[in-house]
Amino acid sequence: HVQLVESGGGSVQAGGSQRLSCATSGYTYSWNCMGWVRQAPGQERERVASIHSDGSTTYADSVKGRFTISKGNAKNTLYLQMNSLKPEDTAMYYCAADPSIWRNYCSGLRPSQWRYSGQGTQVTVS
C-alpha cells in the first residue's frame, strides 16, 4: 500500500532553518501533485505549499518568501526548505500527495482533500 514518510523535523531557534523530506513507497507512478500541510496544537490543518508535475508551486501567505517546496531527483521525493522560522511555524508537518493531473485542482486542494498523507514530523520553533 502507499506510504508517505516524512523526516527532518526537530527543534530549532527562531530565525533558523530546517529542511523536511518526504519519501514515497508503494506507488508505481509519479505523483502529479504533492504538498505539505501542517497542524498546530488546537488548530485545524493548514495548507503550506504544493507542487504540480509541471513545476508550478503555490504557498500559503504565511510562508511565502520563507519556505520553498521542491521535488527530489528520486521519484516521488519531496522537500520543504524552511528559512527564517518563527514560533508560529511550530506544528506537525505532513507530506501529502494526490494523483490528480489538474494543476488548478492541485493548487486548490484543502488539507482534508489530499488522497494520501504521511504520519507527520514535528517542527518546534522557540
Side-chain angles (χ1 to χ4, degrees):
H1 68 285
V2 176
Q3 278 190 309
L4 304 174
V5 179
E6 304 92 342
S7 60
S11 297
V12 63
Q13 289 190 335
S17 298
Q18 205 156 25
R19 189 173 88 151
L20 305 182
S21 302
C22 173
T24 303
S25 62
Y27 189 69
T28 303
Y29 310 103
S30 294
W31 294 114
N32 289 307
C33 181
M34 297 191 78
W36 293 92
V37 299
R38 68 185 181 185
Q39 187 168 24
Q43 297 187 22
E44 295 185 353
R45 283 197 184 188
E46 171 192 26
R47 176 192 180 91
V48 176
S50 66
I51 184 166
H52 188 261
S53 53
D54 68 0
S56 59
T57 58
T58 62
Y59 295 93
D61 288 343
S62 58
V63 307
K64 275 181 185 175
R66 301 188 297 121
F67 290 12
T68 302
I69 188 171
S70 63
K71 285 189 171 182
N73 291 329
K75 190 174 74 173
N76 292 335
T77 57
L78 184 71
Y79 301 105
L80 184 68
Q81 178 65 43
M82 305 183 293
N83 298 329
S84 302
L85 282 161
K86 305 175 181 179
E88 50 263 44
D89 294 318
T90 295
M92 187 71 80
Y93 284 73
Y94 300 89
C95 175
D98 195 281
S100 173
I101 64 171
W102 305 110
R103 180 178 61 188
N104 289 343
Y105 180 79
C106 178
S107 64
L109 279 168
R110 294 193 292 270
S112 62
Q113 293 179 313
W114 291 86
R115 185 78 65 87
Y116 299 99
S117 61
Q119 294 299 306
T121 185
Q122 177 69 38
V123 173
T124 302
V125 185
S126 59

